[in-house]
Amino acid sequence: MNDLAPLLTPEGRALLDEVRDTDPAHELAVATRLRRDHPAELVSAALGQARLRQRAVAKFGEEDAARMFFTPNGVEQSTRRSVAAYRAERLRAAGVRSVADLCCGIGGDAVALARAGIRVLAVDRDPQTAAAARANAEALGLAGLIEVREADVTEVDTSGYDAVFVDPARRSSKRGRIFDPEAYSPPLSWAVRTALQAPRAAALKIAPGIPHEAVPAEAEAEWISDGGDVKEAVLWFGTAPGTVRATLLPGPRTLVSRGLPDPEVRPVGRYLYEPDGAVIRSHLVAEVAEPLDGGLIDPTIAYVTADTLTPTPYATAYEITDRLPFNVKKLKALLRERGVGVLTVKKRGSAVEPEELRRKALPKPHGTASATVFLTRVSGAPTMLLGHPVR
């Protein structure tokens, strides 16, 4: 699909409605039938868009995804709606009333900003992507708040806007995922300079794996997870320089760094806590461990252990029933003895692949019980911890 224009015509829109729920397994038969009455290219474009909309439901929800327009890269790289809405609310609460959304993609963030009542200039240099952003603003009834401009973001004057939001490209068609922030498009250094010029605030979306030493001193760094999955990191300017936080959605629940030292290493207790990924990425395991009266099972492993159960939204608690040195045969015998039929394998600090262990330790279900095994290190020694989540 190289051109959205045919899909925006009355014939294109009617065709999109007709193919909306097409099962991919039946796509060839549907295409053959529709080509009797419609141009072949239009049918292909409509079916391609239907596939993208089906994939986009996970990020945008069924109602929005059914009305929006996508590119393949746009579906992959756009922000999840819940995360974009959270970020937009932070900007609105900071008094921001207008934002220059640079590298806007298909407009997911621009939509969230507009729904928060913020006027948006959405900029992208790719013609197809900009066309999708424009079509989405119109489809969702937000064209009055979103101006879409096809341009190089480095040449756009943002001085008339309260804030800037920059989401630089972190993938390359040749190299795939880009890890060096200076290899982003545009580079992180340019985005930081632009952010520092914003009158009220700025937010830069970056990869969650960014080294902490690469965070500018003028920025607040926030790692965001949604439903337990780490989605992004954001550098905020004009908020609280030097602050590090982890935010968990839905909620939001936010944990802020207090500069605590790393927890001490202690023997494995009755409970094991697995911190949320945003907590781990933001290096805030100590802030989780302190109210749990917990310690680490190993100085290099982000599992917290404690003898008592203390509810926390920032970690999942497991009751540990067995501790074994790494030995597949012993684990297999223990699972048979316990009647385990469902095994969840988690690992941290182990080279063993979970699927490989599951296949060897539980080739056949031995019952209806379930268990979780952690492949990890305890004080440097390869260890298996068996337990179950605390409900």
Side-chain angles (χ1 to χ4, degrees):
M1 185 187 64
N2 297 316
D3 188 4
L4 282 176
L7 295 177
L8 300 177
T9 64
E11 182 183 11
R13 292 179 184 276
L15 199 55
L16 280 173
D17 289 339
E18 187 170 350
V19 302
R20 171 178 173 173
D21 299 318
T22 299
D23 186 330
H26 303 150
E27 198 170 276
L28 181 59
V30 172
T32 300
R33 174 176 58 80
L34 292 175
R35 283 171 182 162
R36 298 170 188 156
D37 301 310
H38 304 280
E41 290 185 358
L42 180 60
V43 172
S44 296
L47 287 169
Q49 189 61 224
R51 286 196 302 270
L52 295 176
R53 285 178 168 182
Q54 289 167 5
R55 286 165 54 192
V57 169
K59 284 190 173 183
F60 292 92
E62 189 170 349
E63 184 177 349
D64 279 357
R67 293 188 289 167
M68 294 175 69
F69 294 86
F70 300 96
T71 66
N73 286 339
V75 173
E76 295 297 328
Q77 299 175 18
S78 56
T79 305
R80 183 179 290 264
R81 183 174 64 178
S82 56
V83 178
Y86 163 75
R87 223 189 302 103
E89 176 56 26
R90 277 205 67 179
L91 288 168
R92 187 204 63 78
V96 169
R97 296 295 175 262
S98 60
V99 172
D101 178 2
L102 308 179
C103 309
C104 70
I106 55 94
D109 287 287
V111 166
L113 290 164
R115 284 175 167 168
I118 297 172
R119 179 172 60 89
V120 185
L121 169 65
V123 184
D124 203 286
R125 68 181 179 182
D126 179 70
Q128 182 73 357
T129 303
R134 188 174 294 109
N136 289 333
E138 295 173 357
L140 299 177
L142 298 169
L145 282 171
I146 301 174
E147 174 194 349
V148 179
R149 188 179 303 175
E150 180 190 326
D152 185 329
V153 296
T154 64
E155 299 175 358
V156 173
D157 180 9
T158 62
S159 59
Y161 296 83
D162 293 342
V164 296
F165 171 67
V166 188
D167 182 5
R170 296 179 296 282
R171 288 182 180 271
S172 165
S173 58
K174 294 181 179 180
R175 294 183 296 166
R177 191 182 299 275
I178 297 172
F179 297 97
D180 178 8
E182 283 308 295
Y184 292 174
S185 180
L188 181 61
S189 57
W190 176 88
V192 171
R193 289 195 300 272
T194 302
L196 291 171
Q197 296 170 6
R200 187 176 290 274
L204 311 183
K205 179 180 172 180
I206 55 175
I210 186 172
H212 280 230
E213 56 268 23
V215 175
E218 304 93 337
E220 168 197 330
E222 180 178 34
W223 279 261
I224 303 174
S225 69
D226 186 22
D229 295 328
V230 181
K231 294 303 178 183
E232 65 180 55
V234 185
L235 300 182
W236 293 93
F237 295 81
T239 53
T243 298
V244 175
R245 69 175 69 219
T247 295
L248 283 56
L249 302 176
R253 297 182 175 92
T254 296
L255 185 68
V256 178
S257 172
R258 291 185 283 128
L260 299 179
D262 290 340
E264 294 182 355
V265 177
R266 65 175 64 177
V268 177
R270 181 177 178 181
Y271 297 99
L272 187 76
Y273 293 85
E274 181 182 27
D276 184 272
V279 170
I280 295 173
R281 292 281 194 175
S282 56
H283 297 179
L284 298 183
V285 174
E287 278 72 8
V288 169
E290 185 189 54
L292 303 177
D293 191 24
L296 299 179
I297 63 171
D298 184 278
T300 63
I301 303 296
Y303 284 137
V304 176
T305 186
D307 295 319
T308 57
L309 179 63
T310 305
T312 174
Y314 301 109
T316 302
Y318 295 81
E319 185 172 9
I320 300 302
T321 56
D322 300 272
R323 172 181 171 179
L324 306 170
F326 183 83
N327 187 304
V328 177
K329 288 184 178 179
K330 288 185 177 180
L331 177 62
K332 184 177 180 180
L334 183 60
L335 295 177
R336 185 183 299 111
E337 177 187 324
R338 299 285 171 81
V340 171
V342 179
L343 181 65
T344 300
V345 182
K346 292 177 171 287
K347 73 166 192 170
R348 187 161 292 152
S350 172
V352 178
E353 290 300 321
E355 281 302 324
E356 178 186 356
L357 179 74
R358 187 183 292 108
R359 186 174 63 252
K360 292 180 178 179
L362 195 66
K364 297 179 181 179
H366 301 295
T368 58
S370 61
T372 301
V373 61
F374 294 87
L375 304 178
T376 187
R377 293 193 304 272
V378 174
S379 298
T383 303
M384 298 185 294
L385 301 174
L386 193 67
H388 54 83
V390 178
R391 301 300 180 186

